[in-house]
Amino acid sequence: NDTLWARMEAAKDKFFERKRGHQEDISKEMLQNLDLKMEVVEKAEALAASEDWKETTEAFKALMETWKGIGRTMHDKNEELWKKFTNANNAFFERKKQHFDNIHAEQGENYAAKLALVERAEALKDSTDWNETTQAYSELMDEWKKTGRVPKEKSDEIWNRFNAARDVFFHNKKENFESFKISLDDNYAQKM
């Protein structure tokens, strides 16, 4: 009986020793995971103010994957760190969204301005006042260049309309001067 009791006590002691070792290993792992998650949060908070939209977006995706790959840690600390991480993440992406909303609004205004330039160019295309209209097209081109970008899907269409009006005018101007030159050559020949 004593022998069996001693064996059972030894097995029990060995089990609890292994259990304590396992608990210590889990505690160490959780502390290491806590350190890793704190590093991820620090990186996220450092990136939150970035304006390098594309690169920082990729960095946040990588940080999210890193976060997911890190094991568990103390629940209360994990929740606190997760909240800090998501706050930094959300702050960056809200700023990014605002930035691109502003760009889209500005591009809409630029589109309206360039559309007005196109309409002015189209109104001048049949003009025969060569010098004044040439100057007007030069001014329109300067305004075009000063006006910022338009939405990508409308860019080619509006540029093609603007350029087509200019091409009509300058083609007509070239033909007029060629016929004028021929007329001068004829007059010269007749006078000779």
Side-chain angles (χ1 to χ4, degrees):
N1 193 23
D2 287 342
T3 305
L4 284 175
W5 183 255
R7 282 181 59 200
M8 191 173 96
E9 283 296 313
K12 183 176 87 173
D13 288 345
K14 187 173 183 179
F15 168 78
F16 282 114
E17 185 179 316
R18 288 180 53 221
K19 182 179 177 186
R20 262 190 310 278
H22 178 70
Q23 291 293 345
E24 287 173 5
D25 289 346
I26 287 176
S27 292
K28 284 180 189 174
E29 183 181 336
M30 289 177 82
L31 285 173
Q32 288 173 341
N33 291 344
L34 178 64
D35 286 342
L36 293 173
K37 287 188 175 186
M38 287 172 69
E39 286 177 23
V40 168
V41 168
E42 286 173 13
K43 289 177 184 175
E45 288 175 336
L47 289 172
S50 173
E51 291 187 4
D52 187 354
W53 307 115
K54 186 175 182 178
E55 194 173 301
T56 305
T57 297
E58 294 305 315
F60 267 109
K61 286 179 184 176
L63 286 175
M64 181 61 79
E65 290 305 311
T66 301
W67 181 278
K68 289 176 183 178
I70 298 172
R72 64 190 184 110
T73 188
M74 288 74 87
H75 181 72
D76 58 331
K77 294 289 184 185
N78 193 61
E79 290 300 314
E80 177 186 333
L81 290 173
W82 176 248
K83 187 174 182 179
K84 286 182 176 183
F85 178 76
T86 56
N87 285 344
N89 187 53
N90 292 343
F92 169 76
F93 283 103
E94 281 298 318
R95 286 182 43 259
K96 179 181 175 182
K97 181 186 179 305
Q98 184 64 42
H99 172 75
F100 284 102
D101 287 348
N102 290 344
I103 286 175
H104 292 303
E106 183 182 321
Q107 286 181 343
E109 292 169 9
N110 293 344
Y111 177 74
K114 284 191 174 182
L115 192 57
L117 294 175
V118 166
E119 290 168 359
R120 286 173 44 201
E122 288 173 341
L124 293 172
K125 72 180 180 182
D126 294 322
S127 173
T128 56
D129 188 351
W130 309 120
N131 292 334
E132 192 173 306
T133 307
T134 299
Q135 180 61 36
Y137 271 114
S138 177
E139 291 168 5
L140 286 174
M141 182 56 86
D142 290 342
E143 286 182 55
W144 184 275
K145 289 176 183 176
K146 288 178 189 173
T147 306
R149 294 182 178 204
V150 299
K152 195 175 229 175
E153 65 276 3
K154 297 178 180 179
S155 179
D156 287 343
E157 171 225 335
I158 198 165
W159 170 250
N160 290 340
R161 278 183 61 193
F162 182 75
N163 220 21
R166 289 178 58 236
D167 287 347
V168 167
F169 170 75
F170 286 108
H171 175 74
N172 291 343
K173 179 180 175 183
K174 181 181 174 189
E175 282 186 351
N176 180 63
F177 280 108
E178 284 176 1
S179 74
F180 181 70
K181 186 176 184 280
I182 290 171
S183 156
L184 286 177
D185 288 344
D186 283 347
N187 287 345
Y188 178 73
Q190 287 176 5
K191 287 183 179 180
M192 285 307 285

